[in-house]
Amino acid sequence: MNASTKAYEELMTRLKRTALLASCSAVLEWDEQTYLPALGSEHRANQLALLAGMVHEQATNPEIGNLLQELETNADFTEGSFEQANVREARHEFDRATKLPRRLVEELSRVATLSHHAWVQARKANQFNDFLPWLEQMIDLKREEASAIGYQGRSAYDALLDEYEPGATSEMIEQAFLPLRDELVSLVSAINNSAVAPEISILTRKYPVEKQREFSISAAKAIGFNFDAGRLDIAAHPFCSGFGPGDCRLTTRYDEHHFPGAFFGTLHEAGHGIYEQGLPKEHFGTPSGHSTSLGIHESQSRMWENLVGRSRAFWDVFFQPAQALFPEALGNVSQEEFYRAINDVRPSFIRVEADEVTYNLHIMLRFELEKSLISGDLKPADLESAWNEKFVEYFGIKPDTSANGCLQDVHWSAGLIGYFPTYALGNMYAAQFFNAAEKELGDINKLIASGDFVPLKEWLNKNIHSRGKLYRANRLVEVVAGESLSHEPLIAQLQNKYSELYNL
Amino acid sequence: MNASTKAYEELMTRLKRTALLASCSAVLEWDEQTYLPALGSEHRANQLALLAGMVHEQATNPEIGNLLQELETNADFTEGSFEQANVREARHEFDRATKLPRRLVEELSRVATLSHHAWVQARKANQFNDFLPWLEQMIDLKREEASAIGYQGRSAYDALLDEYEPGATSEMIEQAFLPLRDELVSLVSAINNSAVAPEISILTRKYPVEKQREFSISAAKAIGFNFDAGRLDIAAHPFCSGFGPGDCRLTTRYDEHHFPGAFFGTLHEAGHGIYEQGLPKEHFGTPSGHSTSLGIHESQSRMWENLVGRSRAFWDVFFQPAQALFPEALGNVSQEEFYRAINDVRPSFIRVEADEVTYNLHIMLRFELEKSLISGDLKPADLESAWNEKFVEYFGIKPDTSANGCLQDVHWSAGLIGYFPTYALGNMYAAQFFNAAEKELGDINKLIASGDFVPLKEWLNKNIHSRGKLYRANRLVEVVAGESLSHEPLIAQLQNKYSELYNL
């Protein structure tokens, strides 16, 4: 075995060990959101802090730097190989981790916990000012984090964005967002002026929770989430967590009088879960065994939730079972009425309840505001007024409360800044991937209408999931869809779908 | 700060850190038994092995040895203080851990996993011979473990027993078991010859699972288990796991046609849980913050399950609610009929379903057999015939199948040898503690009959739980009950209760 092969194997062993330890944290975090008793939070915080410290210690071990240097100098990897990608991404992660002083990592973790609690309270009390001091602290810490990481002539925001979407820049995102925004604003306005008005009250009739659960699980199973290698539990903030091979946990929340929440939420999380379950098991713990980026992850969840789940074809299969399970709510509803209700477009305050069209505007608003917060152009104290002003500009309505405005999302309280744009990137990537899949598979809606989700799932397995971090997101879309990130497929799909629905 | 104070603080920091890490394992183990998807076991085994290795590494760090030596040489702790107990028990745990070579620890963990699987299969197939090769390997490894630990002129079995009941010896256990056995055998025989025959079929009527859950939780809450700091979930093998301050998990299993299983199982686990919840939180991670021994732990679970839960007084409070919840099963049953049914005594094959009187005979049988397996007097190949022979001797019946005989328990497959006697020790300690409590509180059954469980719980909190590992079990019973381990209080309680029930 030559020195490079040996160095490569040792590097992989170290990365796998660290990932295995980090996956223990993931179990504790999942339990925290699902089953932790009220008085257990302090002990849980101690457990998680210990594991985070140990993971950081392992991830920044100088021996990793030595191994990387040996490999970068002497190894001769095949262009486009998993080995090459592993070294590239290991370097990226090692550099990010070592640039952050342990003090800052600990301070961020501590403030995030406290700030999250303050946010929960402030949101309940509808008092932005109660959260403001924490937001100020968090913004300061995230600016410090950006400086520590460095951003070579780009904006400080880019250093944060890079954590969630490696290689992405705010410039690249703006280039996609600006034209998308203009198109969306005019599409929303056209829909608002349409005489068509779906009867959405059918979605808030009585849908017994146990039946919602059964129905959501049957749909998640149908699209390809494997429940022998995963579960669905209840959590206040729905999420998907892939612990490792054979174990991926989804969560959702139920409201007896709101059908779409749990159902599309479950499809969404199952989309993430299908990605996690499709990662190459043999690479677990190395970059090749993990997802490309949050944007690509979101492309998977949004594809199953929207492009599949909110299609006419999907309800050709699922409407009758839904009617049978919810006779009280849907007995006198036609499939077409139901289809129109779940695709109702209207400006609303809350991002996570937004329709497919206005959703991206919610993201852009947050992207612009958080960029200004990090650049210093916007003071945290002015966030609420800036939010409300922009909201009127984009949606024509002004949030009635802080909870329905800038206090609605968990992200900033938890220090997740640079995370929001990945949601809109996901929508754009989803449209691009869907078109590419259609080129190969033919009319996907025809497959869906026959209840056959396997070809699409396998196409995604082959083209996206099995590649792990082989490519960065911007390269993956080129390889898979033959084009760079673009807003055009998404806007074309939306125009096409909603012109028909709203007689535009 | 002098050198000893500094050494003491550093030792405590190290112990707490290791305990915190071990408590992460406990979360993963709980999840393994409750919610783990089928295909997740391999990854979970990898996670647990990693954590076990890290815990062992920390627990055997030579610096702990140096700190202990410094403290043993120079520290001047108050007699009977928590500090003194912490150093004494830290030494005990450090010596045990360091005497075990890492290879043996890993081999034991590996064989236990495989052997457990083999046991599940063999039990299902009712084939002792399928399990035999694993039992042979396990006995060899446990003998090796005993040698590594050493047993200075005592029996090899004592080195194993010491893990679960620190300071106990097989001689001391025999001294208590032998007279207890004789008394029990004659009590069982008297009951068998009694004309009284409770109508036990009322316990296997239909008890809807959801209502069993509700009823079990209400009883666990009533006796003092705090559900803000714990939960009750479902597992195939019921257990209690205290993760740390504010977080203790109970599990049980439900059978729609067997009321006692889940109900007394939950009371039992809640008894363990009340102990865990009563440990001094500020000492978490040090010996003073953890339970004395498995025997003392079992005294708590058996006290609530049997001395409280199977008393007439308890059903003065709970029979009416039970009747209201289970009208189909209990509508035409009197409280006295019910009380007699849950206290039915008869020889049976399965330990975990055994009544209060025969239960201890099941333990003694296992104690004698496992001692012989470790000494080498009994070959694993002869275990089944030895079991069946002894069974006839103790119970007058011969197991009809291996699954109802020597394959029924999980312990030996998992390497838990020396564990069984702690169950019977628990019964004896429970009786001794109950008498001591009664001396202070007056007639406890009177309190129970009025639904007031607080005085007993608080007495246990004060006298047992809050003391952590301040005393070893044999000393604790002297301090609390004013006498050494004795079979007499238990036998007196049983004779008293069952003479009345069976007109002896």
Side-chain angles (χ1 to χ4, degrees):
Chain A
M1 200 189 303
N2 69 32
S4 291
T5 313
K6 215 180 133 201
Y8 181 77
E9 289 190 0
E10 199 187 323
L11 178 64
M12 292 307 109
T13 302
R14 282 184 177 270
L15 296 183
K16 284 179 184 175
R17 198 183 143 94
T18 307
L20 191 56
L21 187 58
S23 81
C24 298
S25 277
V27 179
L28 272 71
E29 280 161 357
W30 168 87
D31 180 76
E32 185 179 20
Q33 301 295 323
T34 50
Y35 295 115
L36 187 73
L39 297 177
S41 348
E42 196 184 324
H43 183 62
R44 181 56 46 88
N46 292 338
Q47 291 175 311
L48 287 171
L50 175 70
L51 291 177
M54 292 175 90
V55 166
H56 187 256
E57 199 178 303
Q58 289 191 10
T60 55
N61 188 305
E63 189 51 26
I64 295 181
N66 299 339
L67 293 166
L68 283 169
Q69 201 168 16
E70 156 68 27
L71 290 165
E72 286 160 348
T73 317
N74 299 319
D76 185 26
F77 294 122
T78 311
E79 191 58 33
S81 65
F82 276 126
E83 290 78 7
Q84 191 190 45
N86 281 342
V87 172
R88 180 190 72 225
E89 297 301 327
R91 162 61 73 190
H92 178 251
E93 286 160 21
F94 179 72
D95 284 353
R96 273 196 79 89
T98 47
K99 280 175 186 162
L100 293 180
R102 186 161 184 154
R103 179 202 53 75
L104 182 59
V105 170
E106 287 174 359
E107 183 73 357
L108 271 164
S109 154
R110 198 186 62 85
V111 172
T113 304
L114 299 172
S115 157
H116 176 79
H117 279 280
W119 167 75
V120 169
Q121 298 307 321
R123 184 171 169 235
K124 211 180 277 169
N126 242 317
Q127 289 295 333
F128 173 67
N129 282 334
D130 292 354
F131 177 55
L132 180 57
W134 293 102
L135 181 64
E136 285 170 337
Q137 255 197 80
M138 185 53 86
I139 297 295
D140 284 347
L141 285 169
K142 296 303 283 189
R143 285 163 60 107
E144 194 185 336
E145 182 184 332
S147 296
I149 287 164
Y151 41 91
Q152 300 144 317
R154 294 212 291 261
S155 73
Y157 182 79
D158 285 23
L160 303 178
L161 172 63
D162 183 73
E163 182 175 352
Y164 310 109
E165 201 64 20
T169 64
S170 39
E171 198 190 333
M172 159 198 146
I173 288 174
E174 271 156 17
Q175 273 172 16
F177 275 18
L178 288 180
L180 178 61
R181 186 183 65 189
D182 294 341
E183 301 270 20
L184 287 175
V185 168
S186 79
L187 180 57
V188 170
S189 152
I191 292 173
N192 280 346
N193 293 328
S194 157
V196 178
E199 183 46 57
I200 55 171
S201 69
I202 58 177
L203 300 177
T204 51
R205 291 177 180 170
K206 188 172 169 187
Y207 294 84
V209 165
E210 201 36 57
K211 307 237 154 170
Q212 284 192 52
R213 184 169 178 274
E214 187 187 323
F215 190 58
S216 300
I217 287 179
S218 75
K221 225 178 245 178
I223 64 170
F225 183 77
N226 180 358
F227 280 87
D228 288 333
R231 305 182 39 88
L232 175 67
D233 295 274
I234 295 176
H237 305 279
F239 64 95
C240 162
S241 180
F243 295 168
D247 198 356
C248 176
R249 311 286 173 106
L250 315 178
T251 67
T252 193
R253 57 185 170 201
Y254 301 96
D255 174 347
E256 192 177 57
H257 287 284
H258 190 243
F259 172 80
F263 184 75
F264 291 108
T266 302
L267 275 192
H268 179 101
E269 302 307 337
H272 283 303
I274 290 168
Y275 189 178
E276 290 290 317
Q277 293 185 335
L279 291 167
K281 294 182 193 358
E282 65 279 16
H283 291 301
F284 174 80
T286 74
S288 302
H290 293 258
S291 58
T292 310
S293 71
L294 290 191
I296 299 299
H297 229 307
E298 196 71 9
S299 76
Q300 304 303 292
S301 54
R302 300 288 286 181
M303 184 183 299
W304 290 107
E305 176 192 357
N306 290 330
L307 304 188
V308 176
R310 291 186 204 264
S311 70
R312 265 205 187 82
F314 184 84
W315 294 98
D316 283 350
V317 181
F318 282 93
F319 188 68
Q320 276 191 6
Q323 242 180 350
L325 265 175
F326 308 108
E328 201 182 319
L330 298 177
N332 66 352
V333 173
S334 74
Q335 184 183 330
E336 185 63 18
E337 284 170 313
F338 181 79
Y339 171 66
R340 286 174 177 268
I342 59 168
N343 283 297
D344 174 66
V345 173
R346 67 183 71 196
S348 62
F349 295 136
I350 303 294
R351 174 183 64 86
V352 295
E353 291 165 9
D355 60 80
E356 231 179 323
V357 182
T358 59
Y359 185 89
N360 295 293
L361 294 173
H362 287 273
I363 298 307
M364 289 168 197
L365 179 144
R366 287 157 178 75
F367 169 63
E368 288 163 29
L369 293 173
E370 66 181 15
K371 251 192 331 169
S372 306
L373 285 168
I374 295 299
S375 72
D377 291 345
L378 176 64
K379 299 276 159 270
D382 300 325
L383 173 68
E384 182 154 41
S385 55
W387 176 292
N388 290 347
E389 206 174 292
K390 224 177 248 295
F391 212 89
V392 173
E393 185 191 331
Y394 284 6
F395 297 92
I397 51 175
K398 192 183 153 193
D400 53 351
T401 63
S402 302
N404 281 336
C406 68
L407 283 186
Q408 70 183 261
D409 286 308
V410 69
H411 301 64
W412 292 337
S413 79
L416 303 173
I417 296 176
Y419 191 115
F420 279 123
T422 68
Y423 291 127
L425 289 177
N427 285 323
M428 292 188 273
Y429 286 137
Q432 294 183 275
F433 291 145
F434 195 83
N435 287 353
E438 199 137 59
K439 268 186 209 147
E440 203 172 317
L441 304 174
D443 187 349
I444 292 178
N445 276 291
K446 221 168 162 176
L447 292 166
I448 295 174
S450 72
D452 186 4
F453 302 97
V454 175
L456 178 59
K457 184 198 159 239
E458 290 189 342
W459 187 89
L460 295 168
N461 283 156
K462 180 176 153 236
N463 287 281
I464 296 169
H465 311 166
S466 66
R467 283 177 163 144
K469 275 188 165 60
L470 186 61
Y471 304 115
R472 290 272 171 102
N474 55 353
R475 177 74 191 127
L476 182 68
V477 70
E478 285 169 4
V479 170
V480 175
E483 61 186 16
S484 309
L485 170 66
S486 162
H487 71 290
E488 286 170 10
L490 173 61
I491 207 72
Q493 282 173 3
L494 292 174
Q495 278 170 342
N496 191 32
K497 175 173 178 179
Y498 290 94
S499 295
E500 188 263 340
L501 269 168
Y502 283 91
N503 296 332
L504 305 182
Chain B
M1 199 189 300
N2 71 31
S4 290
T5 312
K6 215 180 133 201
Y8 181 76
E9 288 189 2
E10 199 187 323
L11 178 65
M12 292 306 110
T13 302
R14 282 183 177 270
L15 297 183
K16 284 179 185 175
R17 198 183 142 96
T18 307
L20 191 57
L21 187 59
S23 81
C24 298
S25 277
V27 180
L28 271 71
E29 281 160 357
W30 168 86
D31 180 76
E32 186 179 20
Q33 302 294 325
T34 50
Y35 295 116
L36 188 74
L39 296 177
S41 348
E42 196 183 325
H43 183 62
R44 182 55 46 87
N46 292 338
Q47 291 174 312
L48 287 171
L50 175 69
L51 291 177
M54 292 175 91
V55 167
H56 187 256
E57 199 178 302
Q58 289 190 10
T60 56
N61 187 304
E63 189 50 26
I64 295 180
N66 299 338
L67 293 167
L68 283 169
Q69 201 167 13
E70 156 68 26
L71 290 165
E72 287 159 348
T73 317
N74 299 319
D76 184 26
F77 294 121
T78 311
E79 191 59 33
S81 64
F82 276 125
E83 289 78 7
Q84 190 190 47
N86 280 341
V87 171
R88 179 190 72 225
E89 295 303 326
R91 163 61 73 192
H92 179 252
E93 286 160 22
F94 179 72
D95 284 352
R96 273 197 80 87
T98 48
K99 279 175 189 165
L100 293 180
R102 186 159 185 155
R103 180 203 52 75
L104 181 58
V105 171
E106 287 172 359
E107 183 72 357
L108 270 164
S109 154
R110 199 186 62 84
V111 172
T113 304
L114 299 172
S115 157
H116 176 79
H117 280 279
W119 167 74
V120 170
Q121 299 306 318
R123 184 171 170 236
K124 212 180 279 171
N126 243 316
Q127 290 295 332
F128 172 68
N129 282 335
D130 292 355
F131 177 56
L132 180 56
W134 293 102
L135 180 65
E136 285 169 337
Q137 254 196 82
M138 185 52 86
I139 297 295
D140 285 347
L141 285 169
K142 296 303 282 188
R143 287 163 60 105
E144 195 184 334
E145 182 184 331
S147 296
I149 287 164
Y151 41 91
Q152 300 144 316
R154 294 212 291 262
S155 74
Y157 182 80
D158 285 22
L160 303 177
L161 171 64
D162 183 73
E163 182 176 353
Y164 310 109
E165 201 64 22
T169 65
S170 39
E171 198 191 334
M172 156 196 149
I173 289 175
E174 272 156 17
Q175 274 171 14
F177 275 18
L178 288 180
L180 178 62
R181 187 183 65 190
D182 295 342
E183 301 270 21
L184 287 175
V185 167
S186 78
L187 180 57
V188 170
S189 151
I191 291 171
N192 280 345
N193 294 328
S194 158
V196 179
E199 182 46 56
I200 56 170
S201 69
I202 58 176
L203 302 177
T204 50
R205 292 177 180 170
K206 188 173 168 187
Y207 294 84
V209 166
E210 201 35 58
K211 307 238 153 164
Q212 283 192 52
R213 184 169 177 274
E214 188 188 321
F215 190 58
S216 300
I217 286 179
S218 75
K221 224 178 247 178
I223 64 171
F225 183 78
N226 180 0
F227 279 89
D228 287 333
R231 304 181 41 86
L232 175 67
D233 295 273
I234 295 175
H237 304 279
F239 63 94
C240 162
S241 179
F243 294 168
D247 198 356
C248 176
R249 311 285 173 106
L250 315 179
T251 66
T252 192
R253 56 185 171 202
Y254 300 97
D255 175 345
E256 194 176 56
H257 288 283
H258 190 243
F259 172 81
F263 184 76
F264 291 107
T266 302
L267 276 192
H268 179 100
E269 302 307 337
H272 283 302
I274 290 168
Y275 189 177
E276 289 290 317
Q277 292 185 336
L279 291 167
K281 293 180 193 358
E282 66 279 16
H283 291 301
F284 174 78
T286 74
S288 301
H290 294 259
S291 58
T292 311
S293 71
L294 290 191
I296 299 299
H297 229 308
E298 197 70 9
S299 76
Q300 303 303 292
S301 54
R302 300 289 286 181
M303 185 182 300
W304 290 106
E305 176 193 355
N306 291 331
L307 304 188
V308 176
R310 291 187 205 263
S311 69
R312 265 205 187 81
F314 184 85
W315 294 98
D316 283 349
V317 181
F318 282 93
F319 187 69
Q320 276 191 8
Q323 240 180 352
L325 264 177
F326 308 108
E328 203 183 318
L330 298 178
N332 65 352
V333 173
S334 74
Q335 183 183 329
E336 185 63 18
E337 284 170 312
F338 181 79
Y339 171 67
R340 287 175 176 268
I342 59 168
N343 283 298
D344 173 66
V345 172
R346 68 183 71 195
S348 62
F349 296 135
I350 302 294
R351 173 183 64 87
V352 296
E353 292 164 9
D355 59 81
E356 233 179 322
V357 182
T358 59
Y359 186 89
N360 296 293
L361 294 173
H362 288 272
I363 298 306
M364 289 167 196
L365 177 144
R366 286 157 179 77
F367 169 64
E368 289 164 27
L369 292 174
E370 65 180 17
K371 252 192 329 170
S372 305
L373 285 168
I374 294 299
S375 73
D377 290 346
L378 176 64
K379 298 278 159 267
D382 300 326
L383 173 68
E384 184 156 39
S385 55
W387 177 291
N388 291 347
E389 205 174 294
K390 222 175 246 297
F391 212 90
V392 173
E393 186 191 333
Y394 285 7
F395 297 92
I397 51 176
K398 191 184 154 195
D400 52 350
T401 64
S402 302
N404 282 337
C406 69
L407 283 186
Q408 70 183 262
D409 285 311
V410 67
H411 302 63
W412 291 336
S413 79
L416 302 174
I417 296 175
Y419 191 116
F420 279 123
T422 69
Y423 292 126
L425 289 177
N427 286 324
M428 291 187 273
Y429 287 138
Q432 294 183 274
F433 291 145
F434 196 85
N435 286 354
E438 201 137 59
K439 267 185 212 147
E440 203 172 317
L441 304 174
D443 187 350
I444 292 178
N445 276 291
K446 218 167 165 180
L447 292 167
I448 295 175
S450 72
D452 187 4
F453 302 97
V454 175
L456 179 58
K457 184 198 159 242
E458 290 188 343
W459 187 89
L460 295 168
N461 282 155
K462 179 176 155 237
N463 287 283
I464 297 169
H465 311 166
S466 66
R467 282 175 164 146
K469 275 188 164 59
L470 186 62
Y471 304 115
R472 290 271 169 103
N474 54 353
R475 178 74 191 125
L476 181 67
V477 72
E478 285 169 4
V479 170
V480 174
E483 61 186 16
S484 309
L485 171 67
S486 162
H487 71 289
E488 286 169 12
L490 173 62
I491 208 72
Q493 281 173 4
L494 292 174
Q495 279 168 342
N496 190 32
K497 175 173 179 180
Y498 290 94
S499 296
E500 187 263 338
L501 270 168
Y502 283 91
N503 297 332
L504 305 182

